[in-house]
Amino acid sequence: MTGTGHGRGIGERAIDAGVLVLAGVDLLQWRAHAPGWHPHQLGVSVVAVLALLLRGRYPLAVLALTLLGMADGDIVLAPIIALFHVGQRYSLRIGVACAAAVTAVGVSACLLPGRAAPDTLRGWVILVVHAAAISAAPTAIGLQYRTRKKLADSYIALRRSRSEELRLVGRLASVEERSALARALHDSVGHAASLIALRAEALGSRTRDSDAAADAAAIHALSRRALEEMRAVTTMLRTQDGDPQVGDLREIPQLLARAGLTDRARIAVEAPDHWPGDVQNAAYRVVQEALTNAARHAPDARIEVTVTSSPVEGSRERLLVEVRNHPTRVAVPSMSGGGNGLAGLAEQVTQVNGEFTYGKTEDGGFHVRAVF
């Protein structure tokens, strides 16, 4: 962004220099054809030419100064340049009024002492038409440039609106799919788990065998726990925009404290509330899921968590979330059905225009990385 701004500054200075050179040549041309200029005429003309440096910021004031130079010193190019910027900045009514003022000054200057004025009606008509055409052309070009810029801005806004609409439609479809999945889990798995819990409780109350009663109690406890975890998952699946989110950036330190990882975490996010809620929620879910997977597959491994923000180009900012665990030193039994959590994380991160990667590290550990 710095290079782009530097290039733009050089381009603007080059344009200013070109404008001054052209207006200066116009001034010297009229000075050569009118050697009898008074010093005040030259001074007014020079001030009018130098005022063109402020044409983009104060076009009306610059036009007024160039009109003085035009009336007193016969300079022509400076008012034409000022008219272009008036048309670029202001409405059609103001542009027409300014063009008419330049035409009037150009025609009236012929009546001053020492100026050559037409001696026939046809000559006056040609002079007026010529002055009006010279004044109207730069004004029309400036107005056309202004209209084109407005159309371009409207087109960009329309494309952004269309992109946002498509993103919202995609999110709505994802929410509907997640809601259907939550209902299916609740109706089928929930029903079966409830029956298992009830049967285990009934078996424990009827049997006289202490070992069987202990097994029944364990099955009942596991079934109840499975039901609670399933309800938590279905609640998360049904979370929609506007509903309470799972967590945000400010809650990540609390999550790490519960896991005992405060001394192995690097949290450096400036203005966390600046990030949208869905991005914060996705970042929290990345840390939560990665810690859960590490505790399940590498219970004794060292875990390192990094959540940082850094500027990129212009006013944009990058949020990095990374969880890395070292290889485990104990045997962990394999578990079926793995990978769904990471796939869900990848989908959630992609929905908020983030990048999600994960995989094994060179030392045999595992890493999860998300960039927003």
Side-chain angles (χ1 to χ4, degrees):
M1 193 67 181
T2 304
T4 303
H6 182 66
R8 186 183 297 113
I10 295 178
E12 291 177 353
R13 287 194 290 270
I15 293 175
D16 288 340
V19 167
L20 289 181
V21 169
L22 291 176
V25 170
D26 178 59
L27 172 63
L28 294 176
Q29 177 187 3
W30 287 105
R31 183 75 176 87
H33 287 81
W37 268 17
H38 296 289
H40 79 276
Q41 291 178 298
L42 180 61
V44 170
S45 299
V46 170
V47 170
V49 170
L50 294 178
L52 292 175
L53 291 173
L54 302 176
R55 66 195 183 280
R57 187 174 299 180
Y58 309 108
L60 288 178
V62 171
L63 178 63
L65 288 175
T66 57
L67 284 177
L68 290 177
M70 182 180 183
D72 201 29
D74 277 342
I75 60 173
V76 176
L77 193 57
I80 290 177
I81 296 174
L83 277 177
F84 167 77
H85 288 276
V86 169
Q88 184 181 354
R89 175 73 67 85
Y90 297 102
S91 63
L92 174 63
R93 181 180 300 177
I94 296 178
V96 171
C98 291
V102 173
T103 302
V105 170
V107 173
S108 301
C110 296
L111 300 176
L112 296 176
R115 304 289 178 88
D119 52 1
T120 63
L121 178 60
R122 182 174 180 273
W124 278 106
V125 171
I126 294 176
L127 176 63
V128 171
V129 172
H130 186 258
I134 292 178
S135 302
T139 307
I141 295 174
L143 288 169
Q144 191 272 340
Y145 182 87
R146 176 170 174 264
T147 303
R148 181 180 177 275
K149 187 175 184 302
K150 280 188 174 182
L151 289 175
D153 293 341
S154 299
Y155 176 70
I156 293 175
L158 180 61
R159 289 194 61 180
R160 289 177 178 174
S161 176
R162 178 59 177 168
S163 177
E164 181 67 15
E165 179 184 355
L166 292 176
R167 187 180 72 86
L168 292 177
V169 169
R171 292 195 62 182
L172 179 60
S174 177
V175 167
E176 292 176 350
E177 182 179 355
R178 289 161 59 185
S179 298
L181 178 59
R183 288 192 296 269
L185 281 174
H186 182 273
D187 295 341
S188 59
V189 181
H191 178 68
S194 299
L195 290 179
I196 292 173
L198 291 174
R199 293 290 183 90
E201 185 178 11
L203 177 61
S205 62
R206 290 198 307 265
T207 184
R208 294 180 181 180
D209 187 345
S210 59
D211 293 337
D215 291 340
I219 293 174
H220 177 265
L222 289 173
S223 301
R224 299 295 299 179
R225 180 180 175 184
L227 277 171
E228 292 175 359
E229 292 182 356
M230 187 205 64
R231 291 192 182 100
V233 171
T234 54
T235 300
M236 182 186 67
L237 286 174
R238 285 171 174 165
T239 299
Q240 301 181 17
D241 291 346
D243 292 340
Q245 298 292 315
V246 175
D248 54 28
L249 291 174
R250 293 189 181 276
E251 295 180 18
I252 291 180
Q254 302 175 12
L255 179 64
L256 298 176
R258 290 195 295 267
L261 298 174
T262 53
D263 59 334
R264 282 173 282 171
R266 181 185 172 212
I267 310 294
V269 180
E270 296 183 3
D273 294 335
H274 170 72
W275 292 92
D278 51 359
V279 173
Q280 296 194 48
N281 177 238
Y284 182 92
R285 284 282 295 119
V286 168
V287 177
Q288 184 185 51
E289 180 68 19
L291 293 180
T292 301
N293 289 341
R296 181 184 303 169
H297 300 287
D300 68 327
R302 177 181 177 87
I303 304 175
E304 299 174 354
V305 181
T306 302
V307 182
T308 58
S309 63
S310 58
V312 282
E313 56 177 276
S315 60
R316 299 180 61 194
E317 194 173 2
R318 186 185 75 159
L319 177 65
L320 170 65
V321 180
E322 187 172 20
V323 180
R324 181 185 299 268
N325 66 269
H326 293 261
T328 181
R329 295 187 297 270
V330 299
V332 180
S334 61
M335 301 182 183
S336 60
N340 293 330
L342 293 175
L345 277 183
E347 180 183 357
Q348 186 173 1
V349 172
T350 304
Q351 285 180 351
V352 293
N353 299 324
E355 299 177 2
F356 183 75
T357 56
Y358 62 90
K360 291 186 177 181
T361 58
E362 295 180 356
D363 60 358
F366 199 83
H367 84 280
V368 174
R369 188 173 187 266
V371 180
F372 305 94

